[in-house]
Each structure stands twice: as C-alpha cells, then as structure tokens.
Amino acid sequence: MSAVTASSTHLVLIPSYNTGEQLFATVAAARRTWNPVWVVMDGSTDGTTVRLQAHAAADPGLRVLVLPENRGKGSAVLHGLEAARVAGFTHALTMDADGQHPADLIPAFMRASQARPDTMVLGRPVFDASAPLLRVRGRKVSNGWAQLETLFAGVGDSLYGFRVYPVGPLVDLMARQPWMRRFDFDPEAAVRLAWHGVKPVNLDAPVKYLRAEEGGVSHFRYGRDNLLLSWMHTRLFLEFVVRLPVLVWRRLRRLPPFQP
C-alpha cells in the first residue's frame, strides 16, 4: 500500500447527496492516498451524514461540512472551496462520491497541479463496458460546444468531475455570477476558467459506472439535466460571441512571429 500524502495546499473535496454506502468506500479510498479529505454533505437524508461525522471524529484527516438542504453539486463544491480558501488551501481535487472516479490517481493529479499551479488539471475519461452508450455519445456534444466556446483552448473533457481546480480563481469567478450551482458546474467551470487564462492540463483517468447491485447511485436525469446543459451552452455561446475579439487577441499574442 502506498503512503498517504499530506498537503497544506491541496485537498480532496467530495460533494455527496444521498450516495448511500458507496460514500464510505469512496472516502476510505481517498483517505488511503491523501490528507486531507473534505466531504460536503449536500442536504443528504439517507443517514450518511451522522455516520460520516462519526468517522471524522476519529480521523483528523477527514472533515465533514454539512448543508441543511440539497442545493446542487456546484453549490456544494463552492461551499467547500470557500472554506478551503479560508483555511489557506490553494487547490482542490473534486471527485464524485458514487465510486465512478479513480481514487488511486489522486496523487498523480495532485503532482501535476503542484508542478503547474496556474493550471486546472482535468480528467479525460477512459470508459469501460459499464458506461451507458447514450451518455458517452451525448457528452461529445457538450465537449464540442466547450471547445468552440473556449476557442479550442484544449479542454479535453468538459463534464468529467475528477479534476484539480485553483481555489481562488474559481471562487472569485463563481461569486460574480449566479450560475454553476447544480449539474452544470463542471463544464461551465472549465469554460469560464479558460476564458480567464487558466490553462487546462488533461490526464487520462478511468471512469466506472456501478450497477445498483454494486452500490451504484445516480441522480442524473436525462431530460432535466440535458435541458440544463443546453441552457448553459446557450448562455456560454452568447457570452463567447461577446468575448470573441478578446479571445482571438489572446490567441494571436501566443503565436510566434510571422516567418515568410
């Protein structure tokens, strides 16, 4: 077993809403590789909050933050990021509580962030046979829009939530607008951070969709969440059109001098 890496700048942040028993497996896997791990309980009503608080009482590397009602993934992450900034942390690796994300890759993603702290380290999903084909195909649409909206800045995958964010820039960005509070958080965060000059670093990471009998829990709703994503990309594209001259100017500044 590899040693647990401790950090005073980088933490693991896990939002959770009614994830059931899988939450404890996810937290345990994260704690085997990293210290500290923070969990934001987003108004869970399945009894996991009290149980996880009991775990945290016996583990100084685990902290549990509790929201009184369900506010959505983005709001839960923002709550954790704000607390992390107050505590002096500069970066946070976000991962889902449902067992989809590879906790064993936490150290590799953190090292990539520590090597280039001015970037966001984005997971690029590697799917196995458990991945629903409709979702695999559907994310290509969102990724295509994200590429266009960032003027092809290099966002490898807009939806995969296993990634390392710079805390300060993301908190400041979210404080200036009311969006990014629910399922739309991850793609909009990547696009808006790219707009503000935070470059993406893409690392491959496997994703696993657990079946119900394996403890898998999904709150994704095709109609509701795809409608939310469509509205998000409509907003972002309209704002992209306004920002286009600045984005082009920034891109041209990075080009080498013209060689006849």
Side-chain angles (χ1 to χ4, degrees), residues 11 13-16 38-42 63 65-67 71-87 89 92-94 165-182 184-186 189 193:
L11 60 81
L13 184 62
I14 305 174
S16 178
W38 290 11
V39 181
V40 181
M41 303 301 292
D42 186 22
R63 180 178 178 185
L65 307 175
V66 181
L67 294 175
R71 299 178 184 175
K73 179 179 180 178
S75 290
V77 171
L78 177 59
H79 184 74
L81 293 175
E82 290 172 335
R85 180 149 80 167
V86 170
F89 290 94
L93 182 146
T94 59
Y165 290 112
V167 171
L170 184 51
V171 170
D172 292 342
L173 186 157
M174 293 183 74
R176 291 195 293 268
Q177 46 80 39
W179 313 111
M180 305 165 58
R181 298 306 194 263
R182 304 199 75 83
D184 56 350
F185 166 73
D186 286 311
L193 284 171

Side-chain angles (χ1 to χ4, degrees), residues 52 84 87 152 162-163 179 228 254:
L52 193 63
F152 303 93
F162 188 77
R163 48 177 61 168
W179 313 111
L228 181 62
R254 293 198 295 269

Side-chain angles (χ1 to χ4, degrees), residues 97 125 244:
L244 185 57

Side-chain angles (χ1 to χ4, degrees), residues 12-255:
V12 174
L13 184 62
I14 305 174
S16 178
Y17 171 64
N18 287 354
T19 317
E21 293 302 315
Q22 184 58 46
L23 169 64
F24 302 99
T26 299
V27 170
R31 281 292 292 121
R32 283 195 291 270
T33 65
W34 203 259
N35 179 17
V37 172
W38 290 11
V39 181
V40 181
M41 303 301 292
D42 186 22
S44 291
T45 57
D46 60 355
T48 53
T49 298
V50 173
R51 292 172 57 195
L52 193 63
Q53 287 175 320
H55 287 210
D59 180 1
L62 175 62
R63 180 178 178 185
V64 180
L65 307 175
V66 181
L67 294 175
E69 69 279 329
N70 179 246
R71 299 178 184 175
K73 179 179 180 178
S75 290
V77 171
L78 177 59
H79 184 74
L81 293 175
E82 290 172 335
R85 180 149 80 167
V86 170
F89 290 94
T90 59
H91 293 76
L93 182 146
T94 59
M95 63 183 295
D96 292 348
D98 58 8
Q100 289 189 11
H101 295 162
D104 59 312
L105 289 185
I106 290 173
F109 273 62
M110 294 299 206
R111 287 194 296 270
S113 174
Q114 290 165 338
R116 298 184 60 186
D118 57 328
T119 67
M120 51 179 163
V121 181
L122 306 180
R124 186 166 46 204
V126 178
F127 296 104
D128 63 12
S130 69
L133 187 58
L134 186 61
R135 293 187 66 173
V136 174
R137 290 176 175 174
R139 74 189 306 118
K140 293 180 180 179
V141 177
S142 184
N143 288 339
W145 278 110
Q147 288 283 11
L148 176 61
E149 291 153 0
T150 59
L151 206 60
F152 303 93
V155 175
D157 188 273
S158 63
L159 289 165
Y160 196 32
F162 188 77
R163 48 177 61 168
V164 186
Y165 290 112
V167 171
L170 184 51
V171 170
D172 292 342
L173 186 157
M174 293 183 74
R176 291 195 293 268
Q177 46 80 39
W179 313 111
M180 305 165 58
R181 298 306 194 263
R182 304 199 75 83
F183 177 74
D184 56 350
F185 166 73
D186 286 311
E188 189 157 356
V191 169
R192 291 189 177 277
L193 284 171
W195 283 350
H196 286 79
V198 179
K199 297 180 180 179
V201 171
N202 299 290
L203 297 180
D204 288 345
V207 55
K208 183 176 183 180
Y209 290 85
L210 298 177
R211 299 188 303 272
E213 57 269 26
E214 296 175 302
V217 177
S218 176
H219 300 295
F220 180 80
R221 299 294 179 267
Y222 283 97
R224 178 198 66 189
D225 292 329
N226 282 320
L227 183 62
L228 181 62
L229 288 177
S230 297
W231 165 234
M232 177 202 70
H233 282 301
T234 299
R235 290 187 288 98
L236 289 177
F237 181 75
L238 293 175
E239 191 170 346
F240 161 74
V241 172
V242 175
R243 291 176 176 271
L244 185 57
V246 173
L247 295 174
V248 171
W249 177 74
R250 286 179 177 174
R251 179 64 57 85
L252 291 175
R253 286 188 62 194
R254 293 198 295 269
L255 291 177

